[in-house]
Amino acid sequence: MGLCKLLLTLILISASFFYYLTQYTNLIKKYKCKYAVITGSTGGIGKELTSQLIKKMNVITVARNPAELEKIQEQYKDEQFKIVPFVFDFVDDLNTFSDKFDQFLTEKGIDKQEVGMCFSNAGYGDYKPFESYNYIEKAKFVQVNFDAHLAICDYFCKLFLTRKNTKSALVITSSALSHTPGKYFALYHTTKAALSSLGNALYAEYRRKGIDVLVVHPSSVSNTKFYQHKGIKAEGDKTMPVIGQIENSFIAVTPKQVVNRMLTRVGKINQSQVGWAAVSTALFATCSGRNIQGWIWSLFSLNDKLVK
Ligand SMILES: NC(=O)c1ccc[n+]([C@@H]2O[C@H](COP(=O)([O-])OP(=O)(O)OC[C@H]3O[C@@H](n4cnc5c(N)ncnc54)[C@H](OP(=O)(O)O)[C@@H]3O)[C@@H](O)[C@H]2O)c1
Protein backbone atom coordinates (compact mmCIF):
# COMPACT_ATOMS: atom_id res chain seq x y z
CA MET A 1 0.00 0.00 0.00
CA GLY A 2 2.84 2.35 1.00
CA LEU A 3 4.63 1.62 -2.28
CA CYS A 4 1.44 2.30 -4.28
CA LYS A 5 1.03 5.69 -2.58
CA LEU A 6 4.66 6.56 -3.28
CA LEU A 7 4.29 5.57 -6.95
CA LEU A 8 1.07 7.54 -7.31
CA THR A 9 2.67 10.60 -5.71
CA LEU A 10 5.65 10.33 -8.07
CA ILE A 11 3.35 10.02 -11.10
CA LEU A 12 1.31 13.05 -9.98
CA ILE A 13 4.43 15.15 -9.36
CA SER A 14 5.89 14.16 -12.76
CA ALA A 15 2.60 14.89 -14.57
CA SER A 16 2.28 18.30 -12.86
CA PHE A 17 5.89 19.17 -13.70
CA PHE A 18 5.38 18.09 -17.32
CA TYR A 19 2.20 20.20 -17.52
CA TYR A 20 4.09 23.20 -16.06
CA LEU A 21 6.92 22.73 -18.60
CA THR A 22 4.60 22.64 -21.59
CA GLN A 23 2.74 25.85 -20.72
CA TYR A 24 3.75 29.04 -22.56
CA THR A 25 5.69 31.52 -20.46
CA ASN A 26 4.07 34.96 -20.29
CA LEU A 27 7.09 36.70 -21.80
CA ILE A 28 5.90 40.27 -21.32
CA LYS A 29 5.03 39.72 -17.66
CA LYS A 30 8.22 37.81 -16.95
CA TYR A 31 10.79 39.84 -18.89
CA LYS A 32 9.03 43.25 -18.96
CA CYS A 33 10.59 44.09 -22.31
CA LYS A 34 9.56 45.80 -25.52
CA TYR A 35 12.26 44.25 -27.76
CA ALA A 36 13.63 40.79 -28.52
CA VAL A 37 16.77 40.20 -30.61
CA ILE A 38 17.01 37.23 -32.99
CA THR A 39 20.21 36.27 -34.83
CA GLY A 40 19.89 34.03 -37.89
CA SER A 41 16.49 35.67 -38.37
CA THR A 42 16.44 35.00 -42.14
CA GLY A 43 16.60 31.21 -41.63
CA GLY A 44 13.93 28.62 -40.89
CA ILE A 45 14.01 28.75 -37.08
CA GLY A 46 14.65 32.52 -37.03
CA LYS A 47 11.64 33.26 -39.25
CA GLU A 48 9.36 31.11 -37.10
CA LEU A 49 10.65 32.86 -33.96
CA THR A 50 9.94 36.24 -35.57
CA SER A 51 6.42 35.21 -36.55
CA GLN A 52 5.60 34.21 -32.96
CA LEU A 53 7.37 37.03 -31.10
CA ILE A 54 6.04 39.87 -33.28
CA LYS A 55 2.59 39.25 -31.79
CA LYS A 56 3.95 40.21 -28.37
CA MET A 57 6.84 42.69 -28.83
CA ASN A 58 9.10 44.47 -31.31
CA VAL A 59 11.74 42.26 -32.90
CA ILE A 60 15.31 43.23 -33.80
CA THR A 61 16.14 40.89 -36.65
CA VAL A 62 19.89 40.28 -37.04
CA ALA A 63 21.25 38.77 -40.27
CA ARG A 64 23.78 39.42 -43.02
CA ASN A 65 21.51 39.82 -46.05
CA PRO A 66 19.84 43.29 -46.16
CA ALA A 67 17.41 42.31 -48.95
CA GLU A 68 16.11 39.32 -46.97
CA LEU A 69 15.80 41.44 -43.85
CA GLU A 70 13.79 44.04 -45.78
CA LYS A 71 11.42 41.33 -47.03
CA ILE A 72 10.74 40.21 -43.47
CA GLN A 73 10.18 43.81 -42.38
CA GLU A 74 7.73 44.32 -45.25
CA GLN A 75 5.87 41.10 -44.36
CA TYR A 76 5.05 42.42 -40.88
CA LYS A 77 4.58 46.11 -41.69
CA ASP A 78 0.92 46.08 -40.61
CA GLU A 79 1.53 44.47 -37.22
CA GLN A 80 1.05 46.37 -33.99
CA PHE A 81 4.72 45.78 -33.13
CA LYS A 82 7.60 46.54 -35.47
CA ILE A 83 10.54 44.72 -37.02
CA VAL A 84 13.86 46.57 -36.72
CA PRO A 85 16.58 44.99 -38.90
CA PHE A 86 20.26 45.06 -37.96
CA VAL A 87 22.68 43.92 -40.66
CA PHE A 88 25.74 42.05 -39.38
CA ASP A 89 27.80 39.30 -40.96
CA PHE A 90 29.33 37.10 -38.28
CA VAL A 91 32.39 36.44 -40.46
CA ASP A 92 33.28 40.13 -39.98
CA ASP A 93 35.37 41.40 -37.08
CA LEU A 94 33.38 40.41 -33.98
CA ASN A 95 35.20 43.07 -31.94
CA THR A 96 33.04 45.62 -33.76
CA PHE A 97 29.71 44.01 -32.85
CA SER A 98 29.24 45.75 -29.53
CA ASP A 99 29.95 49.30 -30.81
CA LYS A 100 27.92 48.79 -33.99
CA PHE A 101 24.95 47.42 -32.06
CA ASP A 102 25.12 50.28 -29.52
CA GLN A 103 25.20 52.78 -32.39
CA PHE A 104 22.26 51.04 -34.08
CA LEU A 105 20.17 51.22 -30.87
CA THR A 106 20.96 54.91 -30.49
CA GLU A 107 20.08 55.68 -34.12
CA LYS A 108 16.78 53.83 -33.83
CA GLY A 109 15.99 55.52 -30.52
CA ILE A 110 15.77 52.18 -28.70
CA ASP A 111 16.39 52.29 -24.96
CA LYS A 112 18.75 49.41 -24.07
CA GLN A 113 16.73 48.68 -20.95
CA GLU A 114 13.77 47.75 -23.16
CA VAL A 115 15.67 44.87 -24.77
CA GLY A 116 14.98 41.87 -22.54
CA MET A 117 15.29 38.76 -24.71
CA CYS A 118 17.95 37.50 -27.09
CA PHE A 119 17.89 34.39 -29.28
CA SER A 120 21.42 33.48 -30.37
CA ASN A 121 20.52 31.26 -33.28
CA ALA A 122 22.68 31.88 -36.39
CA GLY A 123 24.75 28.99 -37.74
CA TYR A 124 25.47 26.69 -40.67
CA GLY A 125 26.82 23.21 -41.37
CA ASP A 126 29.77 22.08 -43.49
CA TYR A 127 29.95 18.36 -44.26
CA LYS A 128 33.43 17.45 -45.48
CA PRO A 129 36.62 15.64 -44.43
CA PHE A 130 38.63 17.58 -41.85
CA GLU A 131 41.79 17.49 -43.98
CA SER A 132 40.07 18.79 -47.12
CA TYR A 133 39.85 22.47 -46.15
CA ASN A 134 42.40 24.90 -44.85
CA TYR A 135 42.83 26.48 -41.44
CA ILE A 136 41.36 29.83 -42.54
CA GLU A 137 38.09 28.14 -43.58
CA LYS A 138 38.05 26.21 -40.31
CA ALA A 139 38.56 29.39 -38.28
CA LYS A 140 35.74 31.08 -40.22
CA PHE A 141 33.41 28.20 -39.43
CA VAL A 142 34.27 28.36 -35.72
CA GLN A 143 33.83 32.13 -35.79
CA VAL A 144 30.23 31.94 -37.06
CA ASN A 145 29.18 28.86 -35.14
CA PHE A 146 30.81 29.59 -31.79
CA ASP A 147 32.67 32.92 -31.52
CA ALA A 148 29.64 34.87 -32.77
CA HIS A 149 27.50 33.31 -30.01
CA LEU A 150 30.23 34.21 -27.52
CA ALA A 151 30.14 37.84 -28.70
CA ILE A 152 26.33 37.83 -28.38
CA CYS A 153 26.48 36.28 -24.87
CA ASP A 154 29.16 38.80 -23.88
CA TYR A 155 27.05 41.75 -25.03
CA PHE A 156 23.69 40.60 -23.72
CA CYS A 157 24.80 39.20 -20.35
CA LYS A 158 26.37 42.58 -19.56
CA LEU A 159 23.29 44.44 -20.80
CA PHE A 160 20.84 42.15 -18.97
CA LEU A 161 22.71 42.56 -15.67
CA THR A 162 21.97 46.30 -15.85
CA ARG A 163 18.20 45.79 -16.21
CA LYS A 164 16.76 46.58 -12.80
CA ASN A 165 13.93 44.70 -11.07
CA THR A 166 13.27 42.35 -13.94
CA LYS A 167 14.50 39.16 -15.47
CA SER A 168 15.90 38.75 -18.99
CA ALA A 169 16.31 35.73 -21.27
CA LEU A 170 19.13 34.38 -23.42
CA VAL A 171 18.17 31.42 -25.63
CA ILE A 172 20.86 29.57 -27.58
CA THR A 173 20.24 27.22 -30.52
CA SER A 174 22.64 24.30 -30.23
CA SER A 175 21.99 20.87 -31.77
CA ALA A 176 21.46 17.21 -30.92
CA LEU A 177 24.84 16.76 -32.61
CA SER A 178 26.46 18.52 -29.63
CA HIS A 179 26.03 15.23 -27.77
CA THR A 180 27.82 13.02 -30.24
CA PRO A 181 30.92 12.94 -32.44
CA GLY A 182 30.59 12.01 -36.13
CA LYS A 183 32.49 11.87 -39.40
CA TYR A 184 32.86 14.85 -41.76
CA PHE A 185 31.06 17.21 -39.41
CA ALA A 186 33.90 17.56 -36.88
CA LEU A 187 33.67 21.30 -36.36
CA TYR A 188 29.87 21.31 -36.26
CA HIS A 189 29.93 18.77 -33.39
CA THR A 190 32.75 20.72 -31.75
CA THR A 191 31.16 24.17 -31.91
CA LYS A 192 27.75 22.89 -30.81
CA ALA A 193 29.28 20.99 -27.86
CA ALA A 194 31.15 24.15 -26.85
CA LEU A 195 27.99 26.22 -27.25
CA SER A 196 25.98 23.88 -25.01
CA SER A 197 28.73 23.98 -22.38
CA LEU A 198 28.80 27.76 -22.53
CA GLY A 199 25.01 28.01 -22.19
CA ASN A 200 24.90 25.61 -19.25
CA ALA A 201 27.74 27.44 -17.48
CA LEU A 202 26.02 30.79 -17.99
CA TYR A 203 22.77 29.31 -16.69
CA ALA A 204 24.58 28.33 -13.47
CA GLU A 205 26.32 31.69 -13.21
CA TYR A 206 23.32 33.93 -13.88
CA ARG A 207 20.23 32.01 -12.74
CA ARG A 208 20.09 33.91 -9.50
CA LYS A 209 21.18 37.19 -11.07
CA GLY A 210 18.12 37.63 -13.24
CA ILE A 211 19.17 36.02 -16.54
CA ASP A 212 17.35 32.89 -17.73
CA VAL A 213 19.63 30.95 -20.06
CA LEU A 214 18.17 28.13 -22.15
CA VAL A 215 20.00 25.89 -24.64
CA VAL A 216 17.87 23.95 -27.14
CA HIS A 217 19.10 20.84 -28.94
CA PRO A 218 16.93 20.12 -31.98
CA SER A 219 17.37 16.98 -34.08
CA SER A 220 17.23 17.76 -37.81
CA VAL A 221 14.75 20.53 -38.63
CA SER A 222 12.56 20.61 -41.74
CA ASN A 223 11.91 23.72 -43.87
CA THR A 224 15.14 25.54 -43.16
CA LYS A 225 17.98 26.61 -45.48
CA PHE A 226 20.43 24.50 -43.48
CA TYR A 227 20.49 21.63 -45.98
CA GLN A 228 20.67 24.02 -48.96
CA HIS A 229 24.04 25.31 -47.79
CA LYS A 230 26.79 24.39 -50.26
CA GLY A 231 28.72 22.68 -47.48
CA ILE A 232 25.98 20.06 -47.18
CA LYS A 233 25.87 19.34 -50.93
CA ALA A 234 27.96 16.73 -52.69
CA GLU A 235 29.87 17.64 -55.84
CA GLY A 236 27.63 18.90 -58.66
CA ASP A 237 25.09 20.16 -56.11
CA LYS A 238 23.80 16.65 -55.46
CA THR A 239 22.03 16.14 -52.16
CA MET A 240 24.33 14.28 -49.81
CA PRO A 241 22.81 10.79 -49.29
CA VAL A 242 21.27 10.29 -45.86
CA ILE A 243 22.63 13.59 -44.46
CA GLY A 244 20.78 15.71 -47.03
CA GLN A 245 17.70 13.56 -46.79
CA ILE A 246 17.10 13.61 -43.04
CA GLU A 247 15.60 17.10 -43.35
CA ASN A 248 12.18 15.74 -44.18
CA SER A 249 12.54 12.29 -42.65
CA PHE A 250 10.80 10.74 -39.67
CA ILE A 251 13.50 12.01 -37.32
CA ALA A 252 12.95 15.67 -38.26
CA VAL A 253 11.10 18.28 -36.23
CA THR A 254 9.57 21.52 -37.57
CA PRO A 255 10.78 25.08 -36.85
CA LYS A 256 7.48 25.55 -35.01
CA GLN A 257 8.29 22.68 -32.64
CA VAL A 258 11.73 24.18 -31.94
CA VAL A 259 10.28 27.63 -31.25
CA ASN A 260 7.44 26.25 -29.12
CA ARG A 261 10.04 24.47 -27.05
CA MET A 262 12.00 27.72 -26.62
CA LEU A 263 8.95 29.74 -25.60
CA THR A 264 7.57 27.15 -23.18
CA ARG A 265 10.84 26.12 -21.46
CA VAL A 266 12.57 29.50 -21.13
CA GLY A 267 12.90 30.49 -17.47
CA LYS A 268 12.09 26.98 -16.28
CA ILE A 269 15.03 24.73 -17.21
CA ASN A 270 18.54 25.10 -18.62
CA GLN A 271 18.37 22.83 -21.66
CA SER A 272 15.88 20.96 -23.79
CA GLN A 273 16.07 18.21 -26.41
CA VAL A 274 13.68 18.80 -29.32
CA GLY A 275 12.40 15.63 -31.00
CA TRP A 276 12.70 11.99 -30.11
CA ALA A 277 15.97 11.63 -32.03
CA ALA A 278 17.51 14.41 -29.92
CA VAL A 279 16.26 12.75 -26.71
CA SER A 280 17.70 9.38 -27.81
CA THR A 281 21.04 10.96 -28.77
CA ALA A 282 21.30 12.70 -25.40
CA LEU A 283 20.37 9.51 -23.53
CA PHE A 284 22.83 7.42 -25.51
CA ALA A 285 25.58 9.99 -24.94
CA THR A 286 24.93 9.98 -21.20
CA CYS A 287 24.90 6.20 -20.98
CA SER A 288 27.74 5.35 -23.36
CA GLY A 289 30.28 8.15 -22.98
CA ARG A 290 32.44 9.60 -25.76
CA ASN A 291 34.85 6.66 -26.15
CA ILE A 292 32.18 4.20 -27.25
CA GLN A 293 30.41 6.77 -29.43
CA GLY A 294 33.59 7.72 -31.30
CA TRP A 295 34.33 4.06 -31.96
CA ILE A 296 30.79 3.38 -33.22
CA TRP A 297 30.91 6.32 -35.65
CA SER A 298 34.33 5.22 -36.92
CA LEU A 299 32.72 2.00 -38.17
CA PHE A 300 30.45 3.77 -40.67
CA SER A 301 31.65 4.51 -44.17
CA LEU A 302 28.68 6.73 -45.00
CA ASN A 303 29.38 9.03 -47.96
CA ASP A 304 33.11 8.22 -47.81
CA LYS A 305 33.44 8.26 -51.62
CA LEU A 306 31.26 11.31 -52.22
CA VAL A 307 32.93 13.70 -49.79
CA LYS A 308 36.43 12.98 -51.11
N1 LIG B 1 18.20 22.80 -39.66
C1 LIG B 1 18.61 21.82 -38.86
O1 LIG B 1 18.46 20.63 -39.16
C2 LIG B 1 19.22 22.16 -37.52
C3 LIG B 1 19.31 21.15 -36.54
C4 LIG B 1 19.87 21.45 -35.31
C5 LIG B 1 20.33 22.73 -35.06
N2 LIG B 1 20.24 23.70 -36.03
C6 LIG B 1 20.74 25.04 -35.72
O2 LIG B 1 19.66 25.96 -35.79
C7 LIG B 1 20.17 27.28 -36.03
C8 LIG B 1 19.28 27.96 -37.06
O3 LIG B 1 19.44 27.30 -38.31
P1 LIG B 1 18.22 26.93 -39.26
O4 LIG B 1 17.91 25.51 -39.05
O5 LIG B 1 17.13 27.93 -39.14
O6 LIG B 1 18.97 27.02 -40.66
P2 LIG B 1 18.95 28.16 -41.77
O7 LIG B 1 17.61 28.26 -42.35
O8 LIG B 1 20.11 27.85 -42.66
O9 LIG B 1 19.26 29.52 -40.94
C9 LIG B 1 20.55 29.87 -40.51
C10 LIG B 1 20.60 31.34 -40.20
O10 LIG B 1 21.93 31.69 -39.79
C11 LIG B 1 22.35 32.78 -40.60
N3 LIG B 1 23.79 32.85 -40.83
C12 LIG B 1 24.60 31.89 -41.36
N4 LIG B 1 25.83 32.37 -41.48
C13 LIG B 1 25.81 33.65 -41.03
C14 LIG B 1 26.77 34.68 -40.92
N5 LIG B 1 28.02 34.53 -41.36
N6 LIG B 1 26.40 35.89 -40.40
C15 LIG B 1 25.13 36.09 -40.01
N7 LIG B 1 24.17 35.16 -40.08
C16 LIG B 1 24.51 33.96 -40.60
C17 LIG B 1 21.65 32.57 -41.93
O11 LIG B 1 21.71 33.74 -42.71
P3 LIG B 1 21.45 33.67 -44.33
O12 LIG B 1 19.95 33.64 -44.46
O13 LIG B 1 22.05 34.92 -44.83
O14 LIG B 1 22.11 32.42 -44.83
C18 LIG B 1 20.27 32.20 -41.42
O15 LIG B 1 19.57 33.34 -41.01
C19 LIG B 1 21.63 27.09 -36.45
O16 LIG B 1 22.46 27.44 -35.36
C20 LIG B 1 21.74 25.60 -36.73
O17 LIG B 1 23.04 25.12 -36.49
C21 LIG B 1 19.69 23.45 -37.24
Side-chain angles (χ1 to χ4, degrees):
M1 196 60 192
L3 189 65
C4 280
K5 267 191 186 164
L6 183 69
L7 270 179
L8 197 63
T9 312
L10 281 178
I11 290 169
L12 277 175
I13 291 174
S14 308
S16 313
F17 185 62
F18 183 72
Y19 177 76
Y20 161 73
L21 278 185
T22 53
Q23 297 310 296
Y24 275 87
T25 303
N26 185 334
L27 303 176
I28 298 298
K29 198 168 158 203
K30 188 155 192 169
Y31 300 118
K32 298 188 179 68
C33 63
K34 292 190 179 158
Y35 290 86
V37 175
I38 304 172
T39 76
S41 55
T42 51
I45 295 173
K47 280 184 178 166
E48 179 61 33
L49 257 171
T50 304
S51 78
Q52 295 206 29
L53 287 174
I54 195 69
K55 295 178 187 131
K56 302 173 175 64
M57 61 186 86
N58 303 303
V59 178
I60 299 174
T61 47
V62 182
R64 60 186 165 172
N65 184 332
E68 288 237 8
L69 281 169
E70 255 176 52
K71 256 195 242 164
I72 296 171
Q73 192 177 21
E74 178 67 16
Q75 187 184 347
Y76 295 107
K77 68 176 186 325
D78 297 329
E79 293 289 331
Q80 179 193 353
F81 297 105
K82 58 180 190 283
I83 300 278
V84 196
F86 174 66
V87 181
F88 195 87
D89 190 333
F90 288 122
V91 295
D92 289 347
D93 184 0
L94 293 174
N95 287 313
T96 64
F97 176 82
S98 158
D99 286 347
K100 284 187 176 165
F101 196 72
D102 276 348
Q103 194 186 342
F104 156 82
L105 292 180
T106 310
E107 279 169 14
K108 297 290 172 191
I110 298 171
D111 178 356
K112 269 184 162 186
Q113 296 293 309
E114 293 179 340
V115 182
M117 300 191 79
C118 175
F119 296 80
S120 193
N121 166 71
Y124 68 96
D126 228 351
Y127 187 82
K128 52 192 178 193
F130 188 71
E131 79 281 5
S132 70
Y133 55 120
N134 64 31
Y135 176 71
I136 294 174
E137 282 178 81
K138 289 182 173 84
K140 182 181 128 186
F141 184 88
V142 174
Q143 177 167 334
V144 174
N145 287 282
F146 180 75
D147 298 347
H149 293 268
L150 184 60
I152 293 287
C153 292
D154 172 64
Y155 184 91
F156 285 97
C157 285
K158 286 175 188 159
L159 164 60
F160 290 164
L161 285 174
T162 68
R163 297 185 77 228
K164 298 281 173 254
N165 306 319
T166 180
K167 284 182 153 261
S168 308
L170 178 59
V171 180
I172 298 170
T173 313
S174 183
S175 164
L177 295 184
S178 66
H179 303 304
T180 169
K183 279 184 176 178
Y184 309 132
F185 233 15
L187 289 182
Y188 192 75
H189 294 278
T190 305
T191 50
K192 290 302 188 187
L195 203 47
S196 298
S197 293
L198 175 69
N200 283 317
L202 294 180
Y203 170 86
E205 189 162 338
Y206 291 122
R207 190 179 77 83
R208 296 170 68 192
K209 292 185 179 169
I211 307 177
D212 292 333
V213 181
L214 171 71
V215 186
V216 289
H217 299 111
S219 59
S220 73
V221 186
S222 59
N223 298 322
T224 69
K225 292 189 286 185
F226 188 86
Y227 296 94
Q228 309 311 318
H229 186 263
K230 62 178 170 26
I232 309 274
K233 301 270 180 183
E235 212 171 281
D237 231 23
K238 266 192 269 169
T239 298
M240 191 66 75
V242 184
I243 299 303
Q245 284 147 4
I246 55 176
E247 180 183 7
N248 293 311
S249 72
F250 66 104
I251 69 164
V253 293
T254 62
K256 200 176 187 138
Q257 281 173 285
V258 179
V259 172
N260 288 356
R261 191 58 66 90
M262 291 172 172
L263 302 186
T264 53
R265 302 313 197 260
V266 65
K268 297 174 184 165
I269 51 176
N270 58 323
Q271 62 172 355
S272 184
Q273 320 303 327
V274 192
W276 68 265
V279 174
S280 317
T281 312
L283 268 178
F284 182 60
T286 310
C287 302
S288 66
R290 284 190 185 269
N291 292 356
I292 295 178
Q293 284 201 65
W295 176 75
I296 291 175
W297 280 105
S298 76
L299 301 176
F300 292 104
S301 55
L302 180 68
N303 294 329
D304 269 354
K305 288 201 180 107
L306 266 177
V307 294
K308 292 267 153 73

